[in-house]
Amino acid sequence: MIVMKFGGTSVGSVDAIRRVAAIVKTHYHLQPIVVVSAMSKVTDTLRDIAEEACRGHDPMDRVEALRRRHEVTINALIDQEERASALATCFDMIDELKNICHGIMLLQELSPRSIDLVSSFGERLSAPIIATALRTHDVPSVPVDAREYIKTDGRYTEAEVDFLETTRRLSSGLKPLINDGKVPVITGFVGSTSEGVTTTLGRGASDYTAAIVGSVLKTDEIWIWTDVDGAMTADPRIVANARVLENISYHEAAEMSYFGAKVLHPKTMLPAVKQQISIRIRNTFNPTEPGTLISGDTMPTTMGVKAVTSIDQLCLIMIEGGSLIGTPDTPARLFKTTAEHKIPIIMITQASSEHDICLLINEKDGQRIVAALKTEFRHEMDLGSLETISVQPNLVAVAVVGQGMKGTPGIAARTFGILGEHGINIIAIAQGSSELNISFVVARSDLQRAVQLVHDSFKLSGKGVS
Ligand code: ADP
Ligand code: ASP
Ligand code: MG
């Protein structure tokens, strides 16, 4: 068995879905289990629609545009005999979406639970279309709504999977289908609570759905079909000479995705590592390329560096004051506040003088956390023992990633040397003890130059770098 996950661009048009059908048909002998994303940009549109409704604006024109896009796709892809029922399924779902949007508009209230319900329509619309398109291409196939199988807690928009219950349901539900020669087409990204309330696993998490299904059913491999030839030495939109990596380890892939390589969702590696199932990243639009193999092994490279990745739209929260020295509860109160406000922290730095602590977070959370910290530390600020809590916006984090960096001297010197030579100011630096990456913060205006310079200084576009 093989899990094959097709991302948004891979199912984003009639031509793309035809390619998907051809790929699945070619690999039918491997017993494929298909996981699909929403058609490209549909999840973004659904989020916008929900927000528009919440502001009291009528989003029905945009819902209609979604209906037309799916209708056109059905008409072009699906045989006459199945077309009417495919259209009916699609239109019923659009009617349900309209009712929900109407409710949001009346209440002018949008909870994370409602965001998940609205967001789930993308995959719920695409999966039946793709399953029917596969049947049109003579591949016996059935759509599967993952909400029946992937059970989660109620942390809406980032739900945690209940692996015990999910394993029980996926094993008993999918195995008979597969043994019967059918190809399940499963909605990525979505799940539901034990009470049956719709949840989602986080943006971009259809990759994670694929890994969950693969690890539960112990498939031979998990293939992530996307729109690039594999995991690359840098984001190809930033570095024109970025190169496809033939082979990286689970740890390297996790580190790259955590530090901004959008090609994989960071959680994807967790279930795969547990069962030691290899992940392969492949290009739907260039299927003869071998792609990138992600497994327990890694190949040596120049100084152990594999890739340079980056995260945009960040800000630095700076807490400064002489009397932070000798007050060990300051970090505890700081993290209690970020945890209470559910603010993810990307990087933490503290100078040994303990004069200041810096947190790197998403820019959108900046003002909110500064206000919360000013409340938490009001007393210290009044006394003057804590001087400032401030935010520095327009920042990016850049990470140099590679398993072989561990114990290799000179990587930091080379990285910071090249940036210094070109006058790029480094605002903060962090390196975890795992030595899988060195990360640093620069101004957004320096992003492209910084990534390109570091990429080239480690000769990552050169041949022989795996
Ligand atoms: P999908 O819709 O198939 O899930 P995504 O858009 O989520 O695809 O991820 C693929 C995109 O990730 C590529 O088009 C590429 O622009 C971007 N990307 C960013 N960093 C990297 C990287 N290091 N290697 C490959 N792709 C990357
Ligand atoms: N459709 C979801 C998103 O855009 C999940 C995914 O595509 O992986 O976030
Ligand atoms: Mg993706």
Side-chain angles (χ1 to χ4, degrees):
M1 280 186 292
I2 295 276
V3 175
M4 294 196 195
K5 177 260 171 178
F6 294 92
T9 319
S10 303
V11 298
S13 66
V14 169
D15 172 61
I17 297 175
R18 287 207 178 104
R19 286 171 185 272
V20 167
I23 289 168
V24 175
K25 194 170 180 174
T26 310
H27 297 98
Y28 179 69
H29 62 285
L30 298 177
Q31 292 189 297
I33 302 159
V34 173
V35 173
V36 291
S37 287
M39 294 179 80
S40 50
K41 304 275 184 298
V42 167
T43 313
D44 289 341
T45 306
L46 288 164
R47 294 261 180 144
D48 290 349
I49 285 172
E51 276 162 25
E52 213 173 299
C54 180
R55 287 194 296 271
H57 301 158
D58 189 339
M60 296 309 160
D61 283 356
R62 299 188 72 184
V63 179
E64 265 306 297
L66 274 185
R67 185 183 66 79
R68 276 197 303 278
R69 181 170 173 197
H70 288 88
E71 180 184 8
V72 165
T73 310
I74 291 170
N75 284 333
L77 278 172
I78 291 168
D79 275 351
Q80 192 73 39
E81 63 210 60
E82 291 221 63
R83 196 176 296 158
S85 89
L87 287 172
T89 306
C90 171
F91 294 169
D92 282 353
M93 236 175 308
I94 294 286
D95 286 345
E96 190 190 334
L97 175 62
K98 281 185 176 170
N99 285 337
I100 295 163
C101 289
H102 198 66
I104 295 170
M105 211 165 73
L106 288 177
L107 293 170
Q108 296 197 18
E109 203 176 72
L110 183 62
S111 63
R113 175 173 163 155
S114 308
I115 292 177
D116 272 358
L117 181 57
V118 174
S119 312
S120 72
F121 279 90
E123 276 71 7
R124 287 164 56 201
L125 283 162
S126 67
I129 297 177
I130 293 154
T132 319
L134 285 177
R135 288 201 297 276
T136 300
H137 286 78
D138 302 321
V139 178
S141 172
V142 276
V144 173
D145 188 336
R147 294 177 302 170
E148 293 288 319
Y149 300 93
I150 304 221
K151 299 311 269 185
T152 71
D153 65 8
R155 261 176 273 182
Y156 298 105
T157 73
E158 287 284 344
E160 289 293 335
V161 173
D162 172 351
F163 272 92
L164 222 63
E165 184 58 16
T166 299
T167 301
R168 199 181 63 71
R169 288 180 179 236
L170 278 174
S171 307
S172 62
L174 291 195
K175 274 186 185 154
L177 280 178
I178 299 161
N179 291 340
D180 204 26
K182 302 254 172 34
V183 176
V185 178
I186 307 171
T187 53
F189 178 55
V190 301
S192 73
T193 64
S194 54
E195 291 85 28
V197 183
T198 301
T199 54
T200 68
L201 309 179
R203 292 305 308 268
S206 294
D207 301 330
Y208 184 39
T209 304
I212 294 165
V213 173
S215 74
V216 166
L217 299 179
K218 299 192 173 46
T219 58
D220 299 311
E221 286 194 358
I222 298 159
W223 292 359
I224 306 290
W225 291 90
T226 184
D227 56 4
V228 282
D229 282 345
M232 303 175 81
T233 51
D235 184 341
R237 291 166 301 186
I238 298 178
V239 173
N241 60 347
R243 210 177 46 80
V244 175
L245 292 155
E246 283 160 32
N247 174 296
I248 51 176
S249 70
Y250 295 119
H251 291 307
E252 287 168 333
E255 207 73 5
M256 282 174 67
S257 58
Y258 180 75
F259 277 96
K262 196 189 165 214
V263 68
L264 270 182
H265 187 277
K267 282 188 180 171
T268 313
M269 273 56 69
L270 294 170
V273 167
K274 267 202 180 138
Q275 301 294 339
Q276 291 292 302
I277 301 174
S278 303
I279 302 170
R280 213 177 268 279
I281 303 178
R282 302 190 64 177
N283 191 347
T284 305
F285 305 92
N286 198 7
T288 52
E289 282 298 305
T292 301
L293 181 68
I294 303 168
S295 66
D297 305 323
T298 186
M299 306 263 280
T301 58
T302 321
M303 301 179 89
V305 173
K306 281 284 173 74
V308 186
T309 63
S310 57
I311 313 180
D312 202 350
Q313 293 184 354
L314 302 178
C315 66
L316 206 58
I317 305 297
M318 290 166 293
I319 299 110
E320 296 167 90
S323 53
L324 280 175
I325 299 167
T327 50
D329 72 329
T330 305
R333 288 167 61 198
L334 182 61
F335 296 127
K336 179 180 74 81
T337 311
T338 55
E340 274 168 7
H341 288 78
K342 298 195 169 34
I343 292 180
I345 300 171
I346 290 147
M347 190 193 280
I348 304 160
T349 64
Q350 180 182 9
S352 58
S353 71
E354 296 183 36
H355 183 267
D356 58 56
I357 300 176
C358 298
L359 303 182
L360 189 69
I361 63 170
N362 291 310
E363 203 159 63
K364 66 177 172 49
D365 298 326
Q367 294 303 340
R368 195 157 60 94
I369 194 62
V370 166
L373 289 171
K374 282 186 173 164
T375 307
E376 171 68 29
F377 291 104
R378 190 174 35 213
H379 183 61
E380 287 80 355
M381 291 196 83
D382 286 348
L383 287 175
S385 59
L386 201 158
E387 286 148 27
T388 53
I389 299 178
S390 57
V391 54
Q392 187 176 353
N394 297 322
L395 301 179
V396 296
V398 178
V400 182
V401 178
Q403 201 155 310
M405 287 164 55
K406 194 173 171 68
T408 309
I411 293 169
R414 190 187 285 206
T415 303
F416 301 130
I418 193 81
L419 297 174
E421 273 169 39
H422 289 80
I424 294 178
N425 182 39
I426 297 162
I427 296 158
I429 298 173
Q431 178 180 14
S433 58
S434 68
E435 290 186 52
L436 266 169
N437 87 66
I438 295 176
S439 33
F440 56 92
V441 179
V442 293
R444 177 174 301 137
S445 51
D446 287 328
L447 167 68
Q448 202 277 332
R449 241 165 24 107
V451 175
Q452 182 80 59
L453 283 167
V454 176
H455 183 267
D456 292 347
S457 81
F458 287 101
K459 301 185 174 47
L460 294 183
S461 60
K463 291 248 174 298
V465 181
S466 189

